[in-house]
Amino acid sequence: MSEEVVIGLEIHIQLLTKTKLFCSCSTDYIGKEPNLNVCPVCLGLPGSLPVLNKKAIELAVKTALVLNCKINRVSLFHRKNYFYPDLPKNYQISQYDFPLAENGYLEISYPEVRKNIKVGIIRLHLEEDAGKLIHKGEITRANHSWVDYNRTGIPLAEIVTKPELHSPEEAQLFLIQLRNLVKYLGVCDGNMEEGSLRCDANISIRDKKTGALGTKTEIKNLNSFRSVRNALEFELRRQKKILEQGGRIIQETRHWNEEKKITVPMRSKEEAPDYRYFPEPDLLPLRIEQEMIERINKNIPELPEQRRKRLIKEYHLSEKDAQMYTDHSTLGDYFEQAAALFPDKKMLNNWIKVELLGYLSKKKINIEHSPVSPERLVGLLKLITQGIITGKIGKSILERMISTGQEASQIIQESKIKQINDQEEIKKIVDIIFKEHNDSIEDLKSGKEKALNYLIGQVMRYTKGRAKPELVREIIKKKLNLWNT
Ligand SMILES: [Zn+2]
């Protein structure tokens, strides 16, 4: 059977607000004592009323706009009812049939190959997070579980894609690029291990001949890029095997066991009626003014994908290098700051990615803390292009700039690589070079200017970059009576 893999993702991103979605409790809970950031609202005590956090709306709108969604001017909050110990109210305030935003897409690009895919976004809605259960079965004779409500009520944006991803690799790529995007925008810290970005994936196999969709299974709570890919790859193999043997896929929710590298059934998939959604009576419909949408839109910075394309166009970088500067935006900023001061972008790019990053990683220093600023790196490169030092010496100077924090010129002053300024000494060296390069002298006499630079280069090489190039130029011209050329 000719078949096609169909994958859709549901991604929860924790919005970077200072306070929770419906109360003023702090969202800063990592490493905190359990149940410190709680109040009657997020504990769901009788009589308490939710108050919507404006910042959360703004961050969700911002995310929806970059995902090219249509923002609904009016959306509703619903109660999603279910019982679980990490949910003190026994319902979660979420959005159901009138979400904040709908009908968008994210264009993702394969690194190195020129291939872009548009992945549709069905919806983006706001909801509150649940608490956390901590299971410690080994402590006493009975199994114990604790519950921590610090996370309860933290704002989440849930993003649901269309089933338009067609391989586990593509799903992983989508998630990486979405993560980079929300981090870049400052709407989420993107930390998957700490759970600020979580992913559920559904997968099915479509018969290409009939176009019929297969039964899908959903894998819950994937908390790393690798587990998304591994879990989907496993699930794909499992489904294929069942179908090949003439079996039937059961619609269900499955759990990815990271240690055993398998998915195992959790429960049969719930349908919407199981949650008995109804409009949240304690909250008014959410109205978003056009003015707010415009204001947020105006403040959206250049997006990674836009930057990647601009870097290629403006600096003629390779796809791979442009991708590197986009993925590491601080490094991209470094490159662009230096590029504004230095004309040879190709040389600059090579020095940054090979030499600078090489030395920094040897010293375990991040580019953010580089002792060599873009201005200082350009200062060094100018000494090379002016022929004052050779590239080789430049490399050792860069290494010293990193370990001492000094400027290139300062290092040259203080070290043996100081220039030779003595006329007589340079004249002697020029004579040696002249003896070896009669052809170039003839070329120069017949007006080939390039030969002059070549001869200067030879002197520089002979002196290991220590001769002062202006002086060398002057002496060569004088010796050959070339003042008027
Ligand atoms: Zn609270």
Side-chain angles (χ1 to χ4, degrees):
M1 127 180 174
S2 90
E3 60 203 14
E4 183 182 38
V5 185
V6 179
I7 297 168
L9 301 176
E10 275 181 33
I11 300 128
H12 286 92
I13 62 166
Q14 212 174 76
L15 299 172
L16 279 173
T17 56
K18 289 203 173 71
T19 55
K20 293 185 180 180
L21 188 53
F22 299 115
C23 61
S24 57
C25 289
S26 167
T27 53
D28 179 16
Y29 70 95
I30 302 290
K32 284 264 175 77
E33 280 271 300
N35 301 311
L36 214 58
N37 300 348
V38 291
C39 74
V41 175
C42 53
L43 288 177
L45 300 188
S48 62
L49 289 171
V51 178
L52 186 56
N53 182 333
K54 192 177 173 195
K55 182 77 185 169
I57 305 167
E58 290 177 350
L59 295 178
V61 168
K62 196 174 180 181
T63 313
L65 286 173
V66 302
L67 294 176
N68 308 291
C69 291
K70 172 182 158 275
I71 312 284
N72 289 327
R73 299 288 297 278
V74 179
S75 63
L76 290 181
F77 284 100
H78 273 70
R79 287 188 181 180
K80 182 180 182 180
N81 298 281
Y82 66 97
F83 174 78
Y84 206 65
D86 65 6
L87 193 71
K89 293 198 293 271
N90 284 345
Y91 62 84
Q92 177 194 29
I93 304 179
S94 180
Q95 295 194 297
Y96 178 51
D97 46 5
F98 295 95
L100 183 86
E102 290 170 282
N103 278 331
Y105 65 88
L106 174 64
E107 195 174 66
I108 59 168
S109 59
Y110 273 88
E112 293 178 53
V113 289
R114 288 174 184 274
K115 186 182 163 192
N116 286 5
I117 350 162
K118 231 181 212 182
V119 182
I121 307 286
I122 298 174
R123 57 189 273 149
L124 179 148
H125 71 249
L126 266 171
E127 64 183 30
E128 58 178 344
D129 207 346
K132 228 174 187 173
L133 287 179
I134 303 145
H135 305 286
K136 292 199 174 159
E138 72 283 4
I139 287 183
T140 54
R141 59 196 154 81
N143 287 350
H144 276 62
S145 288
W146 281 271
V147 64
D148 176 6
Y149 292 126
N150 280 347
R151 206 177 67 179
T152 310
I154 285 185
L156 302 176
E158 180 175 325
I159 299 161
V160 183
T161 77
K162 289 186 180 165
E164 290 182 347
L165 294 154
H166 296 297
S167 70
E169 185 198 5
E170 225 166 80
Q172 187 189 34
L173 202 63
F174 178 90
L175 200 61
I176 291 173
Q177 292 185 18
L178 179 72
R179 201 270 307 247
N180 290 347
L181 191 64
V182 294
K183 263 184 87 170
Y184 197 84
L185 289 170
V187 297
C188 172
D189 68 19
N191 194 329
M192 288 190 85
E193 286 99 75
E194 283 171 359
S196 10
L197 192 147
R198 282 166 266 161
C199 179
D200 303 336
N202 58 67
I203 179 167
S204 63
I205 295 172
R206 189 208 309 256
D207 186 336
K208 263 189 168 174
K209 258 188 217 150
T210 64
L213 272 171
T215 307
K216 65 181 177 185
T217 54
E218 186 176 29
I219 316 163
K220 280 277 180 196
N221 283 325
L222 298 163
N223 58 6
S224 73
F225 296 128
R226 197 168 5 104
S227 65
V228 168
R229 185 167 174 168
N230 288 345
L232 285 169
E233 275 169 358
F234 173 86
E235 192 52 24
L236 181 59
R237 280 196 303 274
R238 190 188 71 87
Q239 290 191 9
K240 271 186 180 167
K241 204 170 153 193
I242 293 175
L243 294 174
E244 273 162 21
Q245 291 168 351
R248 201 170 60 85
I249 312 286
I250 303 161
Q251 181 165 347
E252 62 187 352
T253 302
R254 298 178 70 88
H255 167 75
W256 170 242
N257 185 321
E258 183 68 48
E259 275 160 40
K260 293 184 183 157
K261 303 265 178 282
I262 54 167
T263 65
V264 289
M266 265 169 84
R267 54 176 184 254
S268 64
K269 171 81 181 161
E270 319 77 356
E271 298 292 339
D274 296 334
Y275 291 118
R276 291 171 179 78
Y277 281 100
F278 65 87
E280 165 62 66
D282 291 339
L283 287 165
L284 287 167
L286 171 59
R287 287 175 202 280
I288 296 174
E289 298 302 326
Q290 189 60 30
E291 175 274 326
M292 183 192 191
I293 299 173
E294 278 163 21
R295 177 172 51 80
I296 293 169
N297 205 13
K298 235 184 358 201
N299 290 322
I300 291 173
E302 183 185 35
L303 300 177
E305 185 52 22
Q306 292 165 345
R307 186 180 207 186
R308 195 182 67 84
K309 285 181 182 158
R310 184 176 57 77
L311 288 173
I312 294 170
K313 209 174 148 201
E314 206 171 315
Y315 304 107
H316 307 290
L317 295 177
S318 67
E319 292 269 346
K320 196 177 166 192
D321 291 348
Q323 191 69 52
M324 172 182 76
Y325 289 131
T326 311
D327 291 345
H328 306 279
S329 59
T330 334
L331 188 61
D333 295 343
Y334 189 101
F335 170 77
E336 291 209 70
Q337 280 168 32
L341 307 168
F342 192 68
D344 189 342
K345 318 298 180 200
K346 198 176 167 192
M347 176 178 176
L348 174 69
N349 177 36
N350 280 331
W351 273 80
I352 290 178
K353 66 177 187 182
V354 183
E355 309 305 332
L356 180 69
L357 288 185
Y359 293 132
L360 287 178
S361 81
K362 229 198 253 173
K363 294 246 168 203
K364 297 194 169 58
I365 304 173
N366 286 331
I367 188 76
E368 287 90 335
H369 304 113
S370 168
V372 179
S373 64
E375 294 77 20
R376 286 190 172 188
L377 179 69
V378 168
L380 172 72
L381 298 189
K382 281 186 176 164
L383 293 173
I384 298 169
T385 51
Q386 288 161 7
I388 295 171
I389 52 169
T390 59
K392 201 174 161 195
I393 289 181
K395 287 173 192 174
S396 69
I397 291 178
L398 180 61
E399 195 169 9
R400 283 173 63 183
M401 286 167 79
I402 289 167
S403 52
T404 64
Q406 286 179 308
E407 281 187 52
S409 53
Q410 212 175 342
I411 293 169
I412 292 169
Q413 291 279 322
E414 286 172 10
S415 62
K416 286 184 201 142
I417 45 180
K418 211 168 164 183
Q419 285 179 343
I420 305 169
N421 279 321
D422 182 55
Q423 294 238 13
E424 291 311 309
E425 200 180 340
I426 293 181
K427 273 183 192 164
K428 277 182 209 157
I429 298 165
V430 168
D431 285 339
I432 296 168
I433 298 298
F434 272 14
K435 270 181 204 157
E436 291 168 2
H437 296 89
N438 270 324
D439 296 358
S440 300
I441 294 169
E442 290 311 314
D443 283 354
L444 188 53
K445 279 181 177 168
S446 64
K448 288 182 184 161
E449 272 290 313
K450 265 190 180 169
L452 178 60
N453 285 334
Y454 177 76
L455 286 168
I456 297 171
Q458 293 307 309
V459 176
M460 298 309 295
R461 175 178 290 205
Y462 187 88
T463 58
K464 297 201 169 73
R466 288 160 60 223
K468 192 181 179 191
E470 297 90 76
L471 203 56
V472 177
R473 177 184 295 267
E474 199 179 300
I475 289 168
I476 293 177
K477 281 190 159 185
K478 221 185 231 171
K479 272 188 183 286
L480 298 176
N481 282 324
L482 287 170
W483 286 112
N484 298 321
T485 59

